[in-house]
Amino acid sequence: MSTLLEAIKGVPNATQVTPNLVTGGQPTAEHLAALKAAGAAVVLDARDPMEPRPFDEPTTVRGLGMEYVNIPVVPGTTDDALLERILDVVRKNVDRGMFFHCGSGNRVGGPLLAYLMIDRGMDEDSATELAMKIGLRSPEMLEWGTEYARKRTEG
């Protein structure tokens, strides 16, 4: 059986964050089928439903028997409540195979930076480095994740 990371080989910014969490950019239908075969149970999509997609991802994911969760991350809407919704899904599925993605990985990096600092105990520099590997490029996403985590980890 392949691993979750092997299942998304070729996805932009494919990264193994934890044993049960992989991240990246836009997958293909073939990647989703490979994820299912590798044991994934959940796909968390951070794209706006109006963004163009190469195929009907929600229907494909559900057709494979996995759970599809869409929490759109749109510039200008990045607040604590949105980040908490994302963290809630990540935390509830910590023991299940999960693929968290957007178009490139940028909108995944910000929320996961907060997760890495708060839930995984990583220091800010290490969490930022991993978030950049995940695909974080936007100063807005970086600030969103770090500010949220700082408020919850500092004395």
Side-chain angles (χ1 to χ4, degrees):
M1 183 157 108
S2 71
T3 67
L4 294 174
L5 186 59
E6 289 169 346
I8 58 169
K9 185 178 180 182
V11 167
N13 296 312
T15 304
Q16 181 104 33
V17 179
T18 69
N20 293 317
L21 175 61
V22 291
T23 62
Q26 174 62 51
T28 63
E30 292 77 18
H31 287 122
L32 295 173
L35 280 163
K36 172 64 175 175
V42 180
V43 174
L44 174 56
D45 182 357
R47 292 168 308 154
D48 186 289
M50 298 306 293
E51 286 181 49
R53 290 168 168 74
F55 63 98
D56 184 346
E57 184 174 334
T59 299
T60 302
V61 169
R62 291 180 185 116
L64 289 165
M66 295 187 290
E67 181 181 348
Y68 178 81
V69 180
N70 179 233
I71 302 176
V73 175
V74 180
T77 66
T78 53
D79 60 15
D80 287 358
L82 180 62
L83 209 148
E84 287 163 7
R85 286 180 55 214
I86 292 167
L87 292 179
D88 186 53
V89 173
V90 173
R91 290 169 177 150
K92 283 181 178 174
N93 292 290
V94 71
D95 294 324
R96 300 171 74 200
M98 183 167 69
F99 176 54
F100 180 16
H101 78 94
C102 61
S104 67
N106 179 51
R107 291 173 280 178
V108 174
L112 283 186
L113 195 154
Y115 172 75
L116 294 167
M117 289 174 64
I118 297 166
D119 294 68
R120 307 297 285 195
M122 290 179 81
D123 64 79
E124 188 173 321
D125 288 342
S126 299
T128 300
E129 185 177 325
L130 182 51
M132 291 184 78
K133 183 178 178 188
I134 289 167
L136 178 66
R137 298 291 179 270
S138 152
E140 179 185 356
M141 294 295 127
L142 174 65
E143 184 177 326
W144 184 37
T146 55
E147 290 302 315
Y148 180 92
R150 284 177 188 153
K151 287 186 277 189
R152 284 149 184 85
T153 58
E154 293 176 353

